[in-house]
Amino acid sequence: MSAQPDLLYSEEEEALRAAVRDLLADHCDAPGVIARTESDTPYDLAAWKALADGMGLAGLLVPEDKGGQGASHREVAVVLEELGRAVAPVPYLTSAVVATEALLACDADDLLAELASGRRIGALAVALNVAPGGAYKVVRHEGGALHGELTAIADARAADVLLVPADDGGLYAVDASSATVTPQVSFDLTRPLATVTLDGAPGRLLGDAEVAVPRALRAGAGLLASEQLGLAEWTLTETVRYLKERKQFNRPVGGFQALKHRLAQLWLEVVNLRAAARNAADALATGEDADVAVAVAQAYAASVAVHAAEEALQLHAGIGMTWEHPIHLYLKRAKADSIAYGSAGAHRARLAELVDLQAP
């Protein structure tokens, strides 16, 4: 019989949360993030350096003998909750989770150590919408060089090294300076997408893409639920705070029963999301039923995060519609996350296969 999942936070995890939240309060305030979305430098590399180099968080998933911290997906989930609360424009999910998991499946300890230290940023060159186990586009490997175009690659603009799957079944490390990275119009301005074009770029064979890519995408999907949880919690908390302060007819707006009911329903959804996200993180850490836990979390997370952001936008009324208020960042992130690493429908279909629940 398998052990019961641990959905609670340990004292160490809560201490980690407090440290990350304090750091983000200094680096990723809402006006600063909004200003970055309007500039040519959407990434906050100072925040990334503080997270990766100062706190060593880029190497949480990497064993100590390979240059990392030797932690687990549970600690990474706590970090992602806080990054979701701040919609922080840093490539943590794509480099410290997805690219790192791909490298852990390969024999590339030197590159793994560089990503773990934060000296280099990695990006898996697979479209952001691809679900674990889903089909992904590959480039042509010919004469020791790579040729092709890959679209919708998240955080490719921030990457120093690209992990590129090729038609020979290999996963190749390509220096980002050898590729042409062209920004795409992105709905979520805090996690930009780009097109990667390779025209004879040299690549170093790392390992088997058919093993590395599904592992990386599964970890990305499972831990994305923690980011969505952090986002939903922030929007709910801020909405409750605003409705306590905003007055209409000489009483707080939050005192009206209709709004209380909406907030209570949203609170229940967020609590359920917390359980699903924590279960996915714990399953990834222990290896117990990870595929099922990830599918369950992602089948539920998208709708809750989007609903929380939509309610926040509406219940903040006129101020919520302005560009100066950060709610639009959360709504865009929630919408973009709803198709990242597979849609909710794709995960429900996958879950049905895993538990042998056939459609009528």
Side-chain angles (χ1 to χ4, degrees):
M1 181 180 293
S2 61
Q4 292 296 318
D6 182 3
L7 305 185
L8 301 178
Y9 299 97
S10 67
E11 290 185 10
E12 292 79 7
E13 288 166 354
E14 290 293 3
L16 174 62
R17 178 195 307 284
V20 174
R21 187 173 297 188
D22 287 345
L23 185 150
L24 293 175
D26 293 335
H27 286 86
C28 293
D29 62 300
V33 176
I34 293 172
R36 286 194 172 278
T37 64
E38 299 174 317
S39 72
D40 294 329
T41 56
Y43 298 101
D44 190 337
L45 296 182
W48 169 254
K49 182 176 177 60
L51 287 165
D53 187 21
M55 297 183 67
L57 300 183
L60 286 179
L61 292 178
V62 180
E64 292 185 56
D65 60 357
K66 297 182 185 295
Q69 304 300 319
S72 76
H73 299 81
R74 291 176 57 89
E75 289 78 15
V76 174
V78 172
V79 175
L80 282 167
E81 285 181 32
E82 294 307 307
L83 294 176
R85 287 179 61 90
V87 284
V90 294
Y92 190 84
L93 179 64
T94 47
S95 182
V97 176
V98 178
T100 295
E101 283 277 359
L103 291 175
L104 285 169
C106 303
D107 185 17
D109 290 356
D110 56 335
L111 186 53
L112 192 61
E114 290 182 336
L115 261 62
S117 68
R119 292 193 302 271
R120 301 182 79 185
I121 296 172
L124 181 66
V126 172
L128 184 61
N129 65 303
V130 176
Y136 52 88
K137 190 176 180 181
V138 298
V139 299
R140 188 173 80 257
H141 181 258
E142 184 178 308
L146 300 172
H147 306 262
E149 181 180 275
L150 302 166
T151 59
I153 309 303
D155 294 335
R157 291 171 61 186
D160 301 299
V161 60
L162 300 166
L163 309 182
V164 183
D167 57 1
D168 63 352
L171 184 69
Y172 290 83
V174 176
D175 194 290
S177 62
S178 300
T180 301
V181 179
T182 308
Q184 292 181 237
V185 176
S186 305
F187 189 67
D188 177 9
L189 301 176
T190 61
R191 182 176 285 147
L193 305 179
T195 297
V196 174
T197 304
L198 304 175
D199 188 10
R204 168 191 164 194
L205 179 62
L206 299 173
D208 186 354
E210 293 184 1
V211 174
V213 172
R215 171 176 173 169
L217 296 180
R218 184 182 73 169
L223 293 173
L224 177 67
S226 292
E227 177 184 288
Q228 292 165 304
L229 169 61
L231 185 155
E233 286 186 325
W234 184 91
T235 52
L236 174 59
T237 300
E238 284 300 302
T239 303
V240 171
R241 182 190 61 77
Y242 177 77
L243 293 181
K244 286 181 178 179
E245 296 176 354
R246 173 72 187 275
K247 291 187 176 180
Q248 195 171 57
F249 306 115
N250 205 32
R251 61 179 290 189
V253 174
F256 292 104
Q257 191 175 44
L259 299 189
K260 286 182 177 180
H261 287 174
R262 289 168 65 172
L263 293 171
Q265 177 60 39
L266 188 56
W267 181 82
L268 288 173
E269 293 177 15
V270 172
V271 169
N272 290 335
L273 172 54
R274 184 183 300 117
R278 291 301 293 167
N279 183 51
D282 187 72
L284 287 168
T286 62
E288 292 281 344
D289 296 325
D291 290 335
V292 171
V294 169
V296 168
Q298 276 305 315
Y300 185 70
S303 61
V304 176
V306 171
H307 182 212
E310 288 176 341
E311 287 286 73
L313 181 69
Q314 187 176 65
L315 294 178
H316 273 77
I319 188 66
M321 300 292 179
T322 64
W323 187 259
E324 290 75 16
H325 200 285
I327 286 180
H328 64 93
L329 296 177
Y330 290 84
L331 180 57
K332 291 170 184 174
R333 173 67 71 87
K335 285 285 192 179
D337 282 356
S338 69
I339 60 171
Y341 305 114
S343 65
H347 286 283
R348 283 192 288 269
R350 174 64 176 153
L351 179 60
E353 293 177 5
L354 290 170
V355 300
D356 196 25
L357 180 63
Q358 301 300 319

